[in-house]
Amino acid sequence: MMGAVEIFERLNDLEATITDYRRNSSTLGSMASTLALKSLERRREELRLALEAVSERSLIDVCDYALIPARAGRYPIKHVGETIARFQDAVTAFFASIKEDKPRANATNDLEIIGSSTLNYGYSYSGSLGIVMYAFNEELLPSGSTLDQAVHEVLSLTTETDLAAVRAKADRFGKAAIRSFYSWTKAQTDSGMALDVKWKRGSEVKEERIIQPEQLHVIQDIIQMAGEKRETPEVVNGLLVALNLTGKGYFKIVFADESRDEISGSLDEDFSRKETHELPHHYEATLIRSVRSTLYSDDDKPVWRLVSLK
């Protein structure tokens, strides 16, 4: 009895044979070539059924990831590789949060998390460009395995249209998961290709989505709007080296400790522009630190406003 790996290898070889036969046969359409092609396709169906049986028996989940280009036959390798890699990252990010039962701010994972959530290459097929991946998944839980739940969360988020629901997902799974998901959707929309994805075990299709680029643009826009602005007061002692009172104003403060970053920004509306200040001069500065926390990027740089100098 063949195992899963052997079936994947035979399917890979058979798909290549069928593709070459269709491309190169000068007699395609003749009785002999038609019968030969039907024989190859029949063998492919037998192997697919064998894979379903092995998948069920050996607790193997299968991901059928089919890319559908806007122009037939155009599959830029950069986009193909990027979208699959980013999909894997998104699945792993959600898997880690579900496994640890907590939201996660970063995507650094240990070897156990990575190994348990990794999808392995099985075989590819033509028509669209189909990549079939698999994972050994021995969890048998009433609500689905951790990997099942991770794939479900990734795919279900593609159809989300509610801002509050996206923020709730971020609270539950953490910024790392949403950021990884956003990165995957960007790779997918940048490719210009639609996606038909199925998550299966045996003959059971546990998840299925047909995803258009336009659909992903909607969730991207929502994620971009889902960030929050946080403002906190801070008091620092440093050397004021620049102060401009015109317009929104400008200031710069540096510190004796060279490892500490300088602070610069605009003037707060409560800053008194009537007072005279010396430059350069050491002051105790009251500041407002404003951070726009986004869900799609980890580049949360603070913006500073100067409130007063003493």
Side-chain angles (χ1 to χ4, degrees):
M1 183 178 296
M2 288 186 293
V5 174
E6 184 179 357
I7 293 174
F8 283 129
E9 289 175 349
R10 294 194 180 189
L11 276 167
N12 214 38
D13 291 342
L14 188 57
E15 288 288 352
T17 301
I18 291 174
T19 299
D20 288 343
Y21 192 87
R22 286 173 170 163
R23 182 184 297 125
N24 301 324
S25 178
S26 59
T27 59
L28 198 62
S30 70
M31 180 62 71
S33 62
T34 298
L35 291 174
L37 184 57
K38 285 186 177 297
S39 177
L40 292 171
E41 291 173 339
R42 187 161 52 248
R43 177 56 179 157
R44 178 175 60 186
E45 185 59 27
E46 290 171 355
L47 287 171
R48 286 176 173 174
L49 291 173
L51 177 60
E52 288 185 357
V54 171
S55 167
E56 185 71 40
R57 184 173 62 250
S58 302
L59 305 180
I60 297 172
D61 289 326
V62 174
C63 181
D64 187 334
Y65 195 99
L67 293 164
I68 306 167
R71 298 179 63 183
R74 298 292 182 90
Y75 302 99
I77 193 65
K78 175 183 177 181
H79 292 313
V80 173
E82 189 74 9
T83 181
I84 294 172
R86 297 289 79 79
F87 178 72
Q88 173 69 81
D89 290 345
V91 170
T92 297
F94 275 93
F95 181 96
S97 178
I98 295 167
K99 187 75 172 176
E100 297 175 358
D101 194 25
K102 66 179 182 181
R104 302 190 69 205
N106 63 71
T108 302
N109 299 301
D110 60 32
L111 293 178
E112 182 182 356
I113 292 290
I114 294 171
S116 299
S117 61
T118 291
L119 304 176
N120 304 282
Y121 174 78
Y123 72 97
S124 60
Y125 60 88
S126 59
S128 55
L129 176 58
I131 310 294
V132 177
M133 299 167 279
Y134 69 95
F136 293 98
N137 185 3
E138 298 180 356
E139 284 187 301
L140 293 173
L141 303 174
S143 59
S145 70
T146 305
L147 191 54
D148 288 335
Q149 294 175 58
V151 172
H152 169 75
E153 293 298 339
V154 171
L155 296 182
S156 65
L157 193 52
T158 62
T159 58
E160 188 56 71
T161 58
D162 182 66
L163 178 59
V166 171
R167 284 179 171 156
K169 294 273 189 184
D171 291 339
R172 179 182 173 190
F173 298 108
K175 184 175 178 179
I178 303 301
R179 189 168 60 241
S180 293
F181 171 84
Y182 182 87
S183 180
W184 167 57
T185 66
K186 280 291 292 177
Q188 191 66 48
T189 54
D190 287 349
S191 76
M193 291 185 275
L195 174 64
D196 182 356
V197 60
K198 300 180 184 69
W199 181 248
K200 303 171 57 179
R201 174 171 292 183
S203 59
E204 178 192 2
V205 179
K206 296 186 280 188
E207 300 286 341
E208 182 174 10
R209 294 286 191 285
I210 296 176
I211 303 168
Q212 301 290 341
E214 296 80 9
Q215 175 184 338
L216 295 181
H217 283 305
V218 173
I219 185 62
Q220 288 167 9
D221 290 343
I222 292 173
I223 290 173
Q224 289 174 13
M225 291 188 294
E228 296 179 344
K229 184 178 181 179
R230 300 190 304 273
E231 292 193 339
T232 54
E234 292 194 19
V235 177
V236 302
N237 289 281
L239 181 67
L240 182 70
V241 296
L243 183 66
N244 186 336
L245 301 178
T246 61
K248 292 183 178 180
Y250 175 79
F251 75 94
K252 180 190 286 189
I253 296 172
V254 298
F255 302 94
D257 182 355
E258 294 182 358
S259 66
R260 187 172 181 182
D261 293 337
E262 65 182 35
I263 293 176
S264 62
S266 60
L267 303 182
D268 188 77
E269 60 181 13
D270 291 334
F271 183 82
S272 175
R273 301 182 184 228
K274 296 180 180 179
E275 297 180 18
T276 301
H277 299 93
E278 298 179 34
L279 293 176
H281 191 78
H282 283 89
Y283 286 99
E284 179 185 273
T286 300
L287 306 163
I288 297 293
R289 183 179 188 270
S290 178
V291 176
R292 176 72 180 179
S293 177
T294 64
L295 296 180
Y296 61 92
S297 169
D298 58 1
D299 186 21
D300 298 339
K301 293 182 179 179
V303 175
W304 297 92
R305 300 197 309 274
L306 178 61
V307 178
S308 65
L309 293 167
K310 186 165 63 174

